[in-house]
Amino acid sequence: MPSSIVRGLSESQVTPEAWFDPRRRHLLALAAGLSLGWTNRHAFAAPLPDAALKAGGEKLTGLGDITSYNNYYEFSTDKKAVKILAQELTLKPWTLTVDGEVEKPYTIDADELTKLFGSEERIYRLRCVEGWAMVVPWSGFALSKLIERARPTSRAKFVAFESLKRSSEMIGQRSSNLPWPYREALRIDEAMHPLAFAVTGLYGQPLPKQNGAPLRLALPWKYGFKSAKAIVHVQLTSTQPVTSWNQASPSEYGFYGNVNPEVAHPRWSQSRENRIGELQKRPTLPYNGYAEWVADLYRGLDPKLSF
Ligand SMILES: Nc1nc2c(c(=O)[nH]1)N[C@H]1C(S)=C(S)[C@@H](COP(=O)(O)O)O[C@H]1N2
Ligand SMILES: [Mo]
């Protein structure tokens, strides 16, 4: 048996994946004599329905709200000030490096992202840990494409995301609200999930600076803090990376950050949320309404741990 197939089997044993059928994948791959890299694994994934990719047709939050009510501590903890302060950021040149536990590390300019990985629209719910929520039409590409290009090795178990550190332009970095640079991370199977999205645009236009240009994440089943903005470095690792919010306040911000109405934040309940632009609060849904597609990633894990 070729070693790549052995490697593929052992990967599937250590990482829970539910969006594909492992038996079918192995049979097809064996029949075709293919290696079982991450690319082939996903070739057999069923396409996600509109309920997942278009937020079930829910009403979009207006562009004005999405671009003037922002969390971006590199600029300010005042949500309404971010829009002004973020205009100081220089976006060109902007290089992104993908490295670590990979066969083919690479560095590209942010201008090349759309050429290399394409662009599609995803309408996703965004739920901030603070209790507000929006419905946002992002554009970009599946995060898996960015990762697959570097060919992760079998030792890659996590993906770390590092945002820009440039205190000359990011005035909020002159205070130590958070350890800079902003760091976030995912397990590799979360990062390879077809819902995990790399964002380069909003409402069909280039991504505004205050929303994380030129590149941010959108992980709709997780609290907003997991979706790092202004990404410069993606690193595949064998051990769980340190993340900024978890480092700053481990009792309030877990590694997973999955939306869970039953696990209260130490200072407030998470059972309801305020959809921006609406008067009535809504109930918060497990995994922010994406349970059907992501819950299997966390099977066997204590739900308190997966916050
Ligand atoms: N680099 C960086 N990324 C970040 C943040 C931040 O402060 N810095 N805030 C996070 C939080 S708490 C949320 S809710 C979302 C907000 O995204 P939005 O301003 O586009 O709505 O960005 C996330 N990504
Ligand atoms: Mo947030």
Side-chain angles (χ1 to χ4, degrees):
M1 190 185 269
S3 64
S4 56
I5 289 181
V6 175
R7 197 187 80 197
L9 289 170
S10 68
E11 276 170 2
S12 72
Q13 279 152 11
V14 293
T15 54
E17 268 115 7
W19 65 93
F20 71 100
D21 177 343
R23 278 162 310 165
R24 183 158 168 263
R25 172 173 68 103
H26 293 144
L27 288 173
L28 286 174
L30 285 165
L34 296 171
S35 85
L36 285 171
W38 286 102
T39 308
N40 293 319
R41 167 171 306 192
H42 295 282
F44 307 130
L48 287 164
D50 275 5
L53 301 181
K54 305 211 177 299
E58 289 174 25
K59 184 171 182 281
L60 302 184
T61 303
L63 180 62
D65 283 329
I66 296 170
T67 54
S68 58
Y69 188 83
N70 301 101
N71 270 340
Y72 204 165
Y73 278 29
E74 282 88 336
F75 294 101
S76 177
T77 54
D78 174 349
K79 293 188 208 340
K80 299 200 169 135
V82 169
K83 176 184 184 162
I84 310 287
L85 297 172
Q87 303 319 311
E88 290 301 312
L89 182 62
T90 308
L91 296 183
K92 285 173 200 258
W94 191 285
T95 50
L96 170 75
T97 297
V98 182
D99 63 9
E101 286 290 356
V102 297
E103 285 165 18
K104 294 203 173 337
Y106 66 93
T107 296
I108 53 171
D109 195 277
D111 283 341
E112 298 173 75
L113 288 167
T114 303
K115 270 176 262 161
L116 283 172
F117 303 119
S119 183
E120 61 176 297
E121 187 174 70
R122 296 277 178 98
I123 299 171
Y124 279 167
R125 288 182 286 271
L126 166 67
R127 167 63 153 85
C128 174
V129 76
E130 298 163 337
W132 55 268
M134 298 184 181
V135 180
V136 185
W138 301 116
S139 38
F141 50 89
L143 177 60
S144 62
K145 294 188 182 178
L146 193 103
I147 294 171
E148 276 169 356
R149 185 183 160 89
R151 298 185 185 269
T153 70
S154 59
R155 288 180 300 276
K157 300 286 185 265
F158 295 89
V159 189
F161 302 91
E162 188 183 306
S163 301
L164 182 69
K165 183 174 178 185
R166 188 187 287 160
S167 60
S168 59
E169 293 179 355
M170 297 177 132
I171 194 174
Q173 287 183 339
R174 295 176 203 172
S175 88
S176 47
N177 290 319
L178 279 176
W180 306 115
Y182 193 98
R183 292 181 197 280
E184 260 310 331
L186 299 167
R187 272 191 346 220
I188 193 165
D189 56 334
E190 298 182 296
M192 299 303 290
H193 190 284
L195 279 174
F197 201 55
V199 174
T200 54
L202 170 67
Y203 264 103
Q205 297 295 317
L207 189 62
K209 292 180 179 179
Q210 60 268 38
N211 295 95
L215 178 68
R216 69 165 296 163
L217 301 179
L219 307 163
W221 70 99
K222 291 176 176 286
Y223 290 114
F225 72 89
K226 296 295 297 181
S227 294
K229 298 179 171 180
I231 295 170
V232 292
H233 187 192
V234 177
Q235 189 179 15
L236 287 281
T237 66
S238 58
T239 55
Q240 186 174 307
V242 168
T243 57
S244 294
W245 282 102
N246 185 245
Q247 218 179 341
S249 184
S251 65
E252 297 180 55
Y253 309 103
F255 174 78
Y256 283 97
N258 292 322
V259 174
N260 188 339
E262 283 167 23
V263 177
H265 185 278
R267 293 183 277 133
W268 57 83
S269 162
Q270 292 290 25
S271 67
R272 294 163 76 72
E273 64 196 52
N274 170 31
R275 181 80 59 93
I276 301 297
E278 294 181 358
L279 295 173
Q280 286 264 313
K281 286 204 170 189
R282 290 176 178 247
T284 288
L285 301 175
Y287 299 106
N288 201 24
Y290 296 88
E292 191 179 330
W293 304 287
V294 300
D296 279 347
L297 288 170
Y298 310 104
R299 201 128 283 174
L301 204 66
D302 177 348
K304 292 229 157 63
L305 279 181
S306 77
F307 161 65

